[in-house]
Amino acid sequence: MKVLVVGGGGREHVLCWALSRSAAVFCAPGNPGTAELGTNLPLGASDHAAIVGAVREHGIDLTVIGPEAPLAAGLVDDLARAGFKAFGPTADAARIEASKAYAKEVMFAAGVPAARSETFGDEAKALDYIASHAEPLVVKASGLAAGKGAIVCPTRAEAAAAAREMFGGKFGDAGSLVVVEEFLTGEELSILAVTDGEQVMLLPASQDHKRIGEGDTGPNTGGMGAYTPVSIADRALLERADREIIRPVLAEMARRGVPYRGVLYAGLMVDAAGHAKALEFNCRFGDPEAQVVLPAADLDLTEDLWRIAAGESWQPPVTYCEATRAAVTTVLATPGYPASPVKGQEIRLASPLPEHTILFHAGTALDDAGVLRAAGGRVLNATGLGRDVVEAAERSRALAESITFEGRQYRRDIAWREVARAGAA
Ligand code: AMP
Ligand code: GLY
């Protein structure tokens, strides 16, 4: 089987790593890490015609799409029209991520536990709503905004300012609809459900660390690290999330004539009593969640993804996939990330890498002289494996420490909640 992974970040590297167990992998455009596992094709993810052409030329059996932008832009639809199999939702189904207004409409229609909210296309109405609701509030640009479109506002005045900025064009078209919602407290959890639209396989639950700074401080980023398993995500919580959130959403999408195939990523907020509410849905694997979930699950997914993409009958090997080991990933980022990343630094890697670690590349590039350099905001993912999260976290941190480039930033406290729970146990 020949598989093409579309994208070039850490998520795509781990997808190539997982799929290369049983498939020959290609990656477009890929990065120096994916080049070690297969063939990189120098094509942009937004150039659908070039990707369709490459699939034909190389005899690709299955295309797996990593990022949300090509999914929302209909790459699965374009490949299907040309007669090729692609794993991921159609553009219509990807609206569950690309439009928060749509996601809230689906959640509401499906009766999913979620934050109370309302969607506005009109600034004055949004400001009236904000003035008459309790703080804190969360104000969100409905469209895709690279993870920066949700503003947690401690006061009504800040919420009003955020809404004004969005309607004023801060996020371009993404802010022409604005969702204002109730602030939820608790612990966030990421659940990735592999689905053909009806059957579901839940991958091990993980926790992301969105803030740049240790102790979860500073601005939000695409994700500075992640870990799995998460002890609060016990079987009871997962069964409930499956029954109350994942399956009702899939059923509602099907009812609307928009069956959802691919990975449905549910971002949940879990309260102190262990009850989960849906914060958001993404139409893809999480990044950096995939860099821990796939190594921890120890699954050969090629056949499953192919069957789902092909519309063949699919029986998930398990409904609740357990982590066979713990995994923690620490993201190394460039100086200035997330506001204004400074790139181009030479990267020095330890050789060989410490034991029980895997290094996933994200924003790296080889220069003409073959020197590895930082080429993106998030540069590398240092994944550590272990019997438990404490051991995996130590290995992840040791690997991150061993990688040097000028001004590198990384958090030394990834998985801190789980490490604290282990210490308290
Ligand atoms: P979103 O883009 O909707 O996933 O939101 C990004 C981040 O903002 C989430 O991961 C949360 O950390 C935070 N957030 C979003 N909605 C809420 C909410 N209703 N209550 C509390 N925090 C939220
Ligand atoms: N790590 C969060 C995301 O992939 O959206």
Side-chain angles (χ1 to χ4, degrees):
M1 169 111 51
K2 286 186 185 173
V3 179
L4 169 65
V5 174
V6 173
R11 165 183 49 210
E12 289 73 35
H13 188 178
V14 73
L15 281 166
C16 287
W17 175 87
L19 296 166
S20 65
R21 291 163 67 149
S22 57
V25 295
F26 293 72
C27 196
N31 60 39
T34 64
E36 287 173 17
L37 296 168
T39 309
N40 279 353
L41 306 174
L43 308 170
S46 58
D47 191 347
H48 295 196
I51 289 173
V52 171
V55 165
R56 186 173 290 119
E57 181 190 340
H58 294 281
I60 301 291
D61 301 290
L62 168 68
T63 302
V64 178
I65 295 148
E68 61 277 16
L71 290 164
L75 182 52
V76 169
D77 312 64
D78 287 340
L79 283 161
R81 265 193 288 276
F84 299 118
K85 298 173 182 65
F87 178 81
T90 58
D92 282 348
R95 286 182 72 209
I96 194 116
E97 171 167 2
S99 164
K100 290 185 196 294
Y102 177 76
K104 293 298 294 199
E105 191 186 304
V106 169
M107 284 186 233
F108 182 71
V112 163
R116 277 190 304 276
S117 76
E118 213 159 306
T119 299
F120 299 95
D122 178 272
E123 182 176 319
K125 290 201 175 108
L127 296 178
D128 277 353
Y129 180 92
I130 289 167
S132 62
H133 282 77
E135 27 186 66
L137 286 163
V138 186
V139 181
K140 301 179 177 186
S142 175
L144 290 178
K148 300 191 182 100
I151 319 286
V152 174
C153 305
T155 64
R156 281 191 285 267
E158 286 161 276
R164 274 194 207 98
E165 276 188 352
M166 287 179 194
F167 284 116
K170 182 171 184 197
F171 297 101
D173 271 358
S176 59
L177 280 180
V178 170
V179 177
V180 182
E181 72 180 29
E182 160 197 24
F183 175 77
L184 300 177
T185 54
E187 230 179 279
E188 287 184 57
L189 197 65
S190 304
I191 296 189
L192 309 181
V194 176
T195 179
D196 65 354
E198 286 176 21
Q199 312 282 343
V200 168
M201 173 165 69
L202 296 189
L203 300 179
S206 58
Q207 211 165 59
D208 184 14
H209 297 58
K210 291 208 165 74
R211 306 297 197 95
I212 185 79
E214 286 168 17
D216 294 331
T217 53
N220 265 340
T221 69
M224 292 301 290
Y227 72 92
T228 187
V230 184
S231 53
I232 60 162
D234 58 12
R235 179 59 74 88
L237 183 144
L238 293 175
E239 283 178 357
R240 211 161 149 173
D242 188 26
R243 193 174 64 241
E244 294 182 355
I245 298 174
I246 307 279
R247 292 196 197 243
V249 163
L250 295 177
E252 175 61 22
M253 297 289 282
R255 198 188 64 75
R256 292 170 175 241
V258 189
Y260 190 97
R261 286 191 208 94
V263 169
L264 182 64
Y265 164 142
L268 310 182
M269 187 69 90
V270 181
D271 70 15
H275 294 157
K277 287 188 175 168
L279 281 182
E280 60 158 347
F281 290 97
N282 293 322
C283 63
R284 50 175 174 79
F285 287 96
D287 184 349
E289 288 94 328
Q291 290 89 304
V292 291
V293 165
L294 294 173
D298 198 29
L299 280 173
D300 190 343
L301 280 173
T302 308
E303 170 86 12
D304 297 289
L305 303 195
W306 184 83
R307 294 192 81 82
I308 292 171
E312 300 274 329
S313 74
W314 175 63
Q315 270 310 317
V318 287
T319 302
Y320 302 99
C321 177
E322 305 248 349
T324 59
R325 52 189 175 179
V328 175
T329 198
T330 301
V331 170
L332 289 116
T334 45
Y337 178 76
S340 42
V342 179
K343 307 170 195 175
Q345 304 84 340
E346 178 177 352
I347 300 168
R348 281 170 297 273
L349 302 178
S351 176
L353 296 181
E355 283 206 308
H356 308 292
T357 65
I358 320 173
L359 185 62
F360 295 112
H361 288 240
T364 66
L366 288 171
D367 69 14
D368 292 343
V371 174
L372 189 67
R373 293 190 180 272
R378 291 190 292 175
V379 181
L380 290 156
N381 300 267
T383 297
L385 307 168
R387 280 163 304 181
D388 54 36
V389 168
V390 173
E391 188 175 62
E394 276 162 14
R395 289 173 172 160
S396 167
R397 202 162 37 239
L399 175 57
E401 193 73 57
S402 75
I403 300 164
T404 54
F405 58 89
E406 207 182 315
R408 71 182 170 166
Q409 305 190 68
Y410 70 93
R411 286 180 54 170
R412 291 163 186 76
D413 68 343
I414 301 302
W416 66 268
R417 283 196 182 81
E418 198 66 30
V419 171
R421 279 193 275 267

